[in-house]
């Protein structure tokens, strides 16, 4: 009974701190909008002061502003970069969802196999060990995908 309470507590805390795939996708879209929205503008202001050409005592001042113009091909290139970013993010979110679902299924299978493995003998124990190995691999995949998503969102 004591272990069951600890197990339930761990499952609840894991679910609180896990980010859902929908949240990851929303964060990826927001990051893409931030990275690829609008046009990068360089604003240069040149000021010069000098004498009038006529030699009078007044001074002449001149100001100029330089703003680069972007063509439609530049806009298409920026949109293509955004699409590639979102496509990579979508693939990672899909892999994350698959990993989470595989982990849930394997955990259920392990519970069932644990209850019957002694009755099945050596084959049951081998199947149990294979399931545990698959669970460890699925958790490693989920962790790897989480790290990739965090890197994509932060940097």
């Amino acid at each position: 009974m004591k272990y069951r309470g600890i197990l339930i507590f761990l499952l609840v805390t894991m679910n609180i701190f896990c980010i859902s795939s929908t949240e990851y996708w929303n964060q990826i879209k927001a990051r893409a909008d931030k990275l690829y929205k609008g046009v990068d503008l360089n604003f240069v202001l040149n000021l010069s002061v000098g004498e009038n050409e006529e030699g009078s005592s007044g001074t002449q001042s001149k100001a100029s502003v330089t703003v680069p113009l972007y063509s439609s091909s530049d806009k298409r290139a920026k949109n293509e970069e955004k699409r590639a970013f979102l496509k990579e993010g979508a693939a990672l979110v899909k892999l994350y969802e698959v990993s989470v679902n595989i982990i849930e299924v394997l955990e259920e299978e392990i519970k069932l196999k644990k209850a019957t493995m002694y009755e099945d003998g050596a084959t049951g124990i081998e199947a149990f060990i294979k399931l545990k190995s698959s669970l460890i691999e699925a958790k490693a995949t989920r962790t790897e995908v989480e790290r990739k998503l965090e890197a994509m969102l932060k940097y």
Side-chain angles (χ1 to χ4, degrees), residues 113-152:
K113 185 52 81 176
K114 191 173 187 178
T116 62
M117 76 176 166
Y118 294 114
E119 296 169 4
D120 297 339
T123 56
I125 294 171
E126 287 177 13
F128 178 76
I129 292 171
K130 285 181 182 178
L131 285 173
K132 289 289 263 185
S133 173
S134 297
L135 178 64
I136 291 169
E137 187 176 324
K139 285 183 177 182
T141 301
R142 181 191 64 194
T143 303
E144 177 186 4
V145 171
E146 285 173 342
R147 288 177 183 153
K148 286 180 180 179
L149 285 167
E150 285 179 26
M152 179 181 254

Side-chain angles (χ1 to χ4, degrees), residues 1-146:
M1 189 67 175
K2 181 178 176 182
Y3 296 113
R4 182 181 290 175
I6 293 171
L7 181 64
I8 291 172
F9 174 74
L10 289 174
L11 289 174
V12 169
T13 57
M14 285 174 43
N15 286 336
I16 290 172
F17 296 113
C18 287
I19 296 177
S20 72
S21 58
T22 305
E23 290 174 32
Y24 269 130
W25 180 244
N26 290 336
Q27 290 177 3
I28 288 171
K29 288 192 304 186
R31 178 75 173 162
D33 288 340
K34 183 179 178 183
L35 287 175
Y36 301 107
K37 76 171 187 177
V39 178
D40 295 331
L41 296 177
N42 294 326
F43 185 76
V44 179
L45 179 63
N46 296 320
L47 293 173
S48 61
V49 178
E51 291 186 12
N52 279 341
E53 295 173 4
E54 299 150 0
S56 64
S57 61
T59 59
Q60 176 185 6
S61 59
K62 184 193 295 187
S64 65
V65 176
T66 306
V67 178
L69 297 176
Y70 287 92
S71 66
S72 60
S73 62
D74 292 334
K75 290 178 185 176
R76 282 193 301 273
K78 196 166 203 114
N79 285 337
E80 185 61 36
E81 288 176 17
K82 182 177 179 179
R83 277 192 294 278
F85 181 84
L86 290 172
K87 185 176 181 180
E88 181 183 355
L92 287 173
V93 169
K94 177 184 174 186
L95 187 56
Y96 178 79
E97 287 177 342
V98 169
S99 297
V100 168
N101 290 332
I102 288 173
I103 288 169
E104 289 175 4
V105 169
L106 286 172
E107 286 174 344
E108 289 297 319
E109 283 186 47
I110 286 172
K111 287 179 188 175
L112 293 173
K113 185 52 81 176
K114 191 173 187 178
T116 62
M117 76 176 166
Y118 294 114
E119 296 169 4
D120 297 339
T123 56
I125 294 171
E126 287 177 13
F128 178 76
I129 292 171
K130 285 181 182 178
L131 285 173
K132 289 289 263 185
S133 173
S134 297
L135 178 64
I136 291 169
E137 187 176 324
K139 285 183 177 182
T141 301
R142 181 191 64 194
T143 303
E144 177 186 4
V145 171
E146 285 173 342

